[in-house]
Structure formats: structure tokens, C-alpha cells
């Protein structure tokens, strides 16, 4: 990722509980007539939460906005990508973010998020390879010990 890109600041900075409470209160006060902007603000706050179940609710609310309000799709794409990134759903994060970048190839936040997703996928991929290698090595050592034990008994 280029050093001059702005960091996708929303990716790692959780919202304070008091700030989220303000958004929740506004959302709940509107009841069944909740406005799309209020719903979007609350979803944004939920995605920035440190709690997984709140992040999931944020993604669900943004998905509803994306589906029901065509005029709001563009602004939902980045936050859906961000929400899925925070949840560890990297394929979905990449899908939403790439859709945004197809339409706005110079979007610096989306470019930054792409870098974060790619880095995380690479890191977790290497971790997965290391774990599998360790398991295979351990299995090989156990198998070798068993084989040597069987050979001595003969």
C-alpha cells in the first residue's frame, strides 16, 4: 500500500460506548418511522463497535439500506466493505470494496481498505500455512516414532 494514501481510519478505531448510545437513542426514538440517515448513522456506529454482535447488526442495517435505497448504494459500499473486514469476512469485504473502486478508482479510503484486506488475507494465509506445516511435522514425527517402534518389535 502506498505510504501517501490516507489510512482507512474507521477500520481500527472503535466508537466510544457513549457515542454509540447517542446514535442508538436517536434510532430507537424514531421507531417504525426511522429515517434512512438515522439508520445509516447508527449502522456506521455499530460497525465501529468493538463488539462483534453490534458489528453484525451494523452490516445487516447497511445491507437493508443498500437494498432498499438505490440512491444510497454508493455510500454503503465502503462501509459494507469495512464492516465485513472487521468481521473477518475478507471475501465479502473485497467484493464490496472492489465494486466501489470500479466506479471510483481514485477513492483513497477504498484503496486503503483494499490494502488492509490484502494484508490481512496474506497474513492469515501465512499463519494457516504455518499451522498446517506444524501439524504435518508433528504427524510425521509421531508416525516416524510409531514406525521405529514397530520395526524394533520385529
Amino acid at each position: 500500500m502506498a505510504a501517501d494514501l490516507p489510512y482507512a481510519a474507521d477500520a481500527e478505531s472503535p466508537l466510544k460506548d457513549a457515542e454509540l448510545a447517542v446514535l442508538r437513542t436517536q434510532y430507537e426514538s424514531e421507531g417504525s418511522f426511522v429515517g434512512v440517515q438515522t439508520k445509516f448513522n447508527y449502522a456506521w456506529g455499530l460497525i465501529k463497535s468493538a463488539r462483534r454482535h453490534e458489528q453484525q447488526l451494523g452490516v445487516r442495517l447497511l445491507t437493508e439500506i443498500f437494498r432498499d435505497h438505490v440512491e444510497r448504494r454508493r455510500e454503503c459500499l465502503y462501509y459494507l466493505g469495512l464492516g465485513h473486514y472487521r468481521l473477518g469476512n475478507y471475501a465479502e469485504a473485497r467484493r464490496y470494496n472492489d465494486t466501489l473502486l470500479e466506479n471510483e478508482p481514485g477513492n483513497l479510503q477504498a484503496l486503503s481498505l483494499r490494502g488492509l484486506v490484502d494484508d490481512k488475507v496474506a497474513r492469515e494465509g501465512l499463519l494457516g500455512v504455518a499451522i498446517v506445516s506444524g501439524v504435518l511435522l508433528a504427524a510425521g514425527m509421531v508416525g516416524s516414532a510409531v514406525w521405529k517402534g514397530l520395526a524394533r518389535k520385529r
Side-chain angles (χ1 to χ4, degrees), residues 57-75:
L57 176 57
V59 166
R60 201 170 19 238
L61 292 174
L62 280 172
T63 300
E64 290 172 8
I65 296 169
F66 185 83
R67 183 188 63 229
D68 298 340
H69 301 278
V70 176
E71 73 282 2
R72 302 298 292 259
R73 285 188 176 166
R74 185 225 148 266
E75 65 187 309

Side-chain angles (χ1 to χ4, degrees), residues 143-154:
S144 175
V146 168
W147 183 260
K148 286 180 183 178
L150 289 174
R152 276 192 227 140
K153 288 185 180 182
R154 290 184 191 176

Side-chain angles (χ1 to χ4, degrees), residues 81-139:
L82 179 63
H84 282 289
Y85 168 79
R86 293 198 49 146
L87 289 167
N89 303 333
Y90 303 123
E92 283 296 298
R94 184 176 280 147
R95 185 172 68 89
Y96 283 110
N97 200 52
D98 285 351
T99 300
L100 177 57
L101 286 169
E102 285 173 16
N103 296 306
E104 295 182 23
N107 185 310
L108 296 179
Q109 273 190 308
L111 289 168
S112 178
L113 181 57
R114 175 195 275 169
L116 291 174
V117 171
D118 290 348
D119 289 348
K120 192 68 105 168
V121 167
R123 214 170 322 142
E124 289 191 6
L126 290 175
L127 179 61
V129 168
I131 290 170
V132 169
S133 297
V135 168
L136 291 175
L137 179 64

Side-chain angles (χ1 to χ4, degrees), residues 15-30:
L15 206 61
K16 293 181 177 82
D17 287 338
E19 294 168 323
L20 184 57
V22 169
L23 296 172
R24 181 179 292 115
T25 299
Q26 179 64 37
Y27 177 80
E28 291 171 350
S29 72
E30 293 184 21

